[in-house]
Amino acid sequence: MDSLIKNNEVRLEILSKIENVVFARAVSVSFLVNINPTVSFINEFKTVISEAVTNAIVHGYENRTNKYVYITISYDDDFVYLEVEDKGIGIENIEEAREPLFTTKLAEERAGLGFTIMEVFTDSMEIASKVGVGTKLSFKKRYQSGESND
Amino acid sequence: MALKFQMRIRKNILTLRLDGDLDQSCIGKLKEKVANVMEKYQIRYLILNFDKLSFMDSTGIGFIIGRYAEVKKKNGMVFICSMNRMVERIFNLSGLSKICFVAKTENDALGYLEVA
């Protein structure tokens, strides 16, 4: 990602503890106050970051709590960009993982909807993953600033 | 915001009121408490009151599916009431509207069960 073309950017490294999902959501909301987003934009973005970071911890790191999740949020005049990366187990079959209701963790009551929700709530989603190396999700979401809230 | 929850039991009906954010960070404790109560009181009908639920991701959907599977064994039902617009979007996206009943308020859901 070429940071020169961005208006602003924040990078976070968080320990793979599930309570840090709450922190990641809160940081995203605080950071994006700068672009004066609509309420529905913020709600959707919060959901995307929540799904992505939860996936990194629960799937990428299989709930190990001593690893790091790397998050980058940035924006230009039209889009907000989000990257969530883990150095975990990776995804064997990306197409399968993207399928609605596909889950490897049915017993833990995972709905298998994470990717579907992330895809619906963004304008583009890219998944780069290598087994044993990690997974990186990259999102673009268009925003319009200064709109009346909701 | 952490999740707060409140349970009310009336015969075999459990009303669960959620307040705050429902995500992976709080699901373990919630699931344990609710599963215990459902088992102990032989709950057949579950009413989820989302009036004060400010945020939910797919973890919440998984939770609802899990509880639905439990009450279904007893031919029971799950009601969801007072969803805000955002939670409703996630709910609709998940297809849960095919297996859960949506009620406007907790009283509507209770009223339905009294008559039924």
Side-chain angles (χ1 to χ4, degrees), chain B:
Chain B
M1 200 199 324
L3 183 79
K4 285 186 276 186
F5 58 93
Q6 201 185 26
M7 290 189 270
R8 280 179 64 192
I9 300 141
R10 199 154 121 190
K11 287 185 260 175
N12 55 0
I13 305 170
L14 170 65
T15 306
L16 174 63
R17 293 179 185 155
L18 298 177
D19 182 345
D21 292 3
L22 176 53
D23 66 9
Q24 186 67 19
S25 71
C26 57
I27 197 71
K29 198 174 145 209
L30 176 70
K31 209 189 293 180
E32 193 194 318
K33 292 254 160 92
V34 172
N36 280 344
V37 166
M38 287 180 69
E39 164 96 43
K40 190 173 169 196
Y41 295 92
Q42 292 293 301
I43 297 299
R44 193 170 160 192
Y45 301 102
L46 176 64
I47 300 174
L48 297 167
N49 185 338
F50 285 176
D51 185 40
K52 296 204 168 102
L53 184 69
S54 44
F55 175 87
M56 178 177 90
D57 62 17
S58 65
T59 307
I61 300 295
F63 172 75
I64 299 171
I65 294 172
R67 305 294 73 71
Y68 169 79
E70 282 173 26
V71 298
K72 204 184 146 208
K73 290 181 202 153
K74 301 190 176 84
N75 282 319
M77 291 186 242
V78 175
F79 290 83
I80 319 263
C81 32
S82 306
M83 277 186 279
N84 73 29
R85 239 172 58 186
M86 189 60 202
V87 170
E88 195 170 9
R89 274 194 72 191
I90 308 257
F91 179 82
N92 289 334
L93 207 70
S94 71
L96 273 185
S97 45
K98 291 184 193 123
I99 56 171
C100 297
F101 291 81
V102 177
K104 215 166 169 195
T105 65
E106 197 180 298
N107 279 339
D108 285 357
L110 278 168
Y112 180 86
L113 287 174
E114 307 272 283
V115 179

Side-chain angles (χ1 to χ4, degrees), chain A residues 43-104:
Chain A
N43 281 332
E44 292 181 6
F45 193 86
K46 266 167 69 179
T47 311
V48 173
I49 195 166
S50 197
E51 298 288 350
V53 176
T54 301
N55 271 359
I57 296 172
V58 171
H59 297 286
Y61 290 131
E62 299 180 297
N63 289 312
R64 285 190 300 271
T65 55
N66 58 342
K67 305 287 178 181
Y68 282 90
V69 180
Y70 307 87
I71 304 167
T72 306
I73 311 168
S74 60
Y75 54 84
D76 57 24
D77 291 341
D78 301 307
F79 290 98
V80 174
Y81 303 83
L82 170 67
E83 291 181 357
V84 176
E85 188 175 2
D86 67 68
K87 301 195 188 305
I89 60 166
I91 303 169
E92 255 175 52
N93 186 335
I94 292 176
E95 284 316 304
E96 196 176 58
R98 285 179 92 127
E99 286 282 313
L101 305 178
F102 174 83
T103 179
T104 53

